[in-house]
Amino acid sequence: MKLRNKIEHTFSAIGRKVIYDTEITAFVEDRRMKRLTGVRSKELMIRVPVNDIFIKEKDPEKITFANTTGLSRTFKVSAFQIEGWYP
């Protein structure tokens, strides 16, 4: 996906800022995006790249964001859903 400008977005439900570069790439599978590039999360004062996003089949209410160093964060899926929109 290509964007005209970088976008910084704050997810108020989790209090995290995410930076989307002008080009975002990923391999998409069922319940998973791997080898993600162009997406970074701001942790404390450091921008950490997000390389993997997945939802476990056993627990579909939680989504996990991971990077190549093995660090990951898990949040409720509802924190990223748009109100009034249901897939």
Side-chain angles (χ1 to χ4, degrees):
M1 177 170 74
K2 290 192 177 193
L3 304 171
R4 290 185 182 166
N5 300 317
K6 288 184 180 183
I7 297 173
E8 288 191 22
H9 177 74
T10 301
F11 289 97
S12 58
I14 60 169
R16 303 276 184 195
K17 183 182 277 190
V18 178
I19 299 101
Y20 301 98
D21 288 335
T22 56
E23 185 171 314
I24 300 168
T25 61
F27 289 97
V28 180
E29 299 174 356
D30 185 37
R31 299 178 181 262
R32 182 182 198 110
M33 293 176 70
K34 63 182 184 178
R35 293 192 204 161
L36 184 65
T37 63
V39 179
R40 293 175 286 152
S41 174
K42 195 163 189 180
E43 291 285 330
L44 299 172
M45 300 299 282
I46 303 169
R47 292 182 179 173
V48 180
V50 177
N51 298 98
D52 201 11
I53 301 173
F54 59 92
I55 299 173
K56 293 181 182 177
E57 196 168 334
K58 296 177 186 175
D59 193 6
E61 296 297 317
K62 295 191 178 180
I63 186 168
T64 303
F65 299 85
N67 66 18
T68 55
T69 62
L71 298 174
S72 65
R73 297 270 187 208
T74 302
F75 302 100
K76 289 185 177 185
V77 171
S78 60
F80 302 95
Q81 292 178 331
I82 300 170
E83 287 187 32
W85 186 81
Y86 302 100

